[in-house]
Amino acid sequence: MADETTPLDSSLVVDLPVHHEAPQGPPRYECTLSPELITKAREELQEKPEWRLRDVQALRDMILKEHPNLRTRLDDAFLLRFLRARKFDYDRALQLFVNYHSGRRGWPELFDNLRPSAIKAVLDLGFVTVLPHPDPDGRRVICLRPGRWMPHNYPIIENLRALYLTLEKLIQSEETQVNGIVILADYNGVGLSQASHLGPFLAKRVVGLLQDGFPVRIKAVNIINEPRIFKGIFAIIRPFLKEKITNRFFLHGSNLNSLHKNVPRHILPQEYGGSAGVLDTALWNQTLLASEEEFVHHFSHSPVTDDELLQQHLMSESEAAEVQCEDSFRGVKSQLYYCY
């Protein structure tokens, strides 16, 4: 028997493979759409399942080529949101993708520390919620109640942060990406104190963010209980809306029968003549608050673009627009007072 100092016979030594743990990338995309929604996506969005990943790769290649220093997600599931929102038109999807990240970079007041816990007061107030059940077309219904906001409690930007987080959560669903969303805005209780905080510059930024900078299909905007002052509010917003979106606004006043033609009673709460029980905002609030960690990760850093000159141009253009819009707001304010 060899003692402890006797060297081993080299013929007995076996080279064992060294295993290096592969870095964890994004999960492989798996479609969760039903056969019916796959057909709908093909017919309405030009999405062909057999070409889906090829189209995603094409968009990814365009991003890497034109914006190589953009720090962002590039996984299949994320890029699909932008392709579906622009009916698989590569160029339009790329522009939407760039707008999405430019918006985050250019509006720190909205995106800094953007997480559900930071806007819990807005959630508790019930300014924004999502109805529990989709409409017959599979569209989720966002319910906005701006009359519940008292400007002396917190600035208007907090309402926008709550709405943005709601949209981000909804768009995670492939069903919502295909079907789109419906907005139900109840203007009961809205007066001059709320309306005077919406100037043309803010209206332009909000409309630009939702209309041109977020991958969601807004299929209808139903306005109910609008006061006389809403005429002035809409006058501020309308110049920035595309005609397609403008045609999707429906003003119902206090006529719930008119509302029910667009949003069926069986998904509406009792407050709006529905049969779905009392409006309960707690469930949606819990859904958002339970997603705290994912939002912290998603908004933990601002995107970095490779074109600082473009960013400077956009900022100077934005500042010029602010001056122009605020000048026009002086005239609009008088209209608000008149409507009120």
Side-chain angles (χ1 to χ4, degrees):
M1 179 180 296
D3 60 30
E4 295 179 356
T5 60
T6 304
L8 291 175
D9 187 340
S10 60
S11 64
L12 300 179
V13 177
V14 179
D15 290 329
L16 297 176
V18 178
H19 295 283
H20 297 285
E21 186 175 348
Q24 293 295 317
R28 181 177 176 82
Y29 171 75
E30 293 185 9
C31 182
T32 61
L33 298 175
S34 66
E36 294 77 16
L37 282 180
I38 289 176
T39 299
K40 181 177 183 178
R42 182 188 291 271
E43 294 175 350
E44 295 187 10
L45 307 181
Q46 318 307 317
E47 177 177 345
K48 299 175 176 62
E50 63 273 21
W51 293 353
R52 184 188 290 126
L53 295 184
R54 180 209 66 174
D55 294 334
V56 168
Q57 186 59 48
L59 177 59
R60 184 183 294 114
D61 290 342
M62 292 172 71
I63 295 168
L64 292 173
K65 178 182 178 181
E66 299 186 29
H67 303 277
N69 295 327
L70 185 62
R71 188 173 64 218
T72 179
R73 287 176 58 183
L74 290 175
D75 56 279
D76 297 342
F78 186 64
L79 296 184
L80 263 176
R81 302 177 185 182
F82 298 89
L83 286 166
R84 285 170 172 156
R86 292 298 180 262
K87 298 186 177 181
F88 279 74
D89 181 315
Y90 296 166
D91 292 327
R92 294 177 64 229
L94 175 63
Q95 187 59 59
L96 177 61
F97 186 87
V98 172
N99 292 348
Y100 174 84
H101 289 89
S102 297
R104 287 177 55 182
R105 180 181 177 86
W107 203 346
E109 299 88 350
L110 194 153
F111 290 99
D112 284 355
N113 192 37
L114 185 56
R115 60 185 72 188
S117 62
I119 47 93
K120 188 175 183 300
V122 184
L123 297 176
D124 290 342
L125 194 65
F127 171 83
V128 58
T129 192
V130 177
L131 300 188
H133 304 291
D135 71 4
D137 293 316
R139 305 174 300 193
R140 299 304 301 271
V141 180
I142 297 178
C143 182
L144 299 174
R145 295 186 290 173
R148 301 182 71 84
W149 169 56
M150 295 293 107
H152 61 267
N153 289 334
Y154 58 80
I156 191 172
I157 194 72
E158 294 301 302
N159 294 330
L160 303 178
R161 284 157 60 83
L163 174 59
Y164 197 91
L165 284 180
T166 292
L167 290 170
E168 281 282 0
K169 187 62 181 176
L170 286 177
I171 207 62
Q172 292 177 359
S173 162
E174 289 198 281
E175 288 81 1
T176 299
Q177 294 169 26
V178 173
N179 292 324
I181 64 167
V182 170
I183 295 175
L184 170 61
D186 177 6
Y187 272 76
N188 183 43
V190 171
L192 190 60
S193 62
Q194 289 95 350
S196 61
H197 287 262
L198 181 65
F201 179 64
L202 180 60
K204 181 178 182 180
R205 297 190 80 175
V206 173
V207 171
L209 190 71
L210 301 182
Q211 179 176 255
D212 302 312
F214 194 86
V216 67
R217 305 175 69 209
I218 301 176
K219 305 299 292 183
V221 180
N222 293 279
I223 310 292
I224 61 172
N225 297 323
E226 64 271 22
R228 288 187 302 169
I229 200 171
F230 182 79
K231 182 178 179 181
I233 297 172
F234 196 61
I236 297 173
I237 299 172
R238 185 164 187 165
F240 311 116
L241 295 173
K242 295 178 179 177
E243 183 179 0
K244 178 178 69 174
I245 298 296
T246 302
N247 293 337
R248 294 177 181 177
F249 270 71
F250 302 94
L251 277 59
H252 303 287
S254 59
N255 187 345
L256 294 181
N257 289 329
S258 175
L259 172 65
H260 297 160
K261 293 177 182 178
N262 287 25
V263 186
R265 292 182 67 254
H266 72 271
I267 71 167
L268 285 170
Q270 294 176 6
E271 289 88 336
Y272 306 126
S275 57
V278 176
L279 180 62
D280 182 9
T281 62
L283 182 60
W284 182 251
N285 292 356
Q286 292 168 6
T287 298
L288 279 185
L289 291 169
S291 305
E292 179 84 3
E293 290 188 11
E294 71 182 52
F295 281 119
V296 169
H297 174 73
H298 188 56
F299 295 105
S300 60
H301 52 70
S302 297
V304 176
T305 64
D306 58 332
D307 197 344
E308 293 298 333
L309 291 177
L310 175 61
Q311 290 298 329
Q312 293 174 10
H313 170 72
L314 290 176
M315 288 303 293
S316 62
E317 188 179 68
S318 174
E319 290 167 358
E322 180 173 10
V323 172
Q324 180 180 3
C325 286
E326 290 305 324
D327 284 345
S328 66
F329 189 36
R330 297 188 181 95
V332 176
K333 271 187 174 180
S334 63
Q335 184 176 359
L336 285 174
Y337 280 98
Y338 175 77
C339 293
Y340 189 65

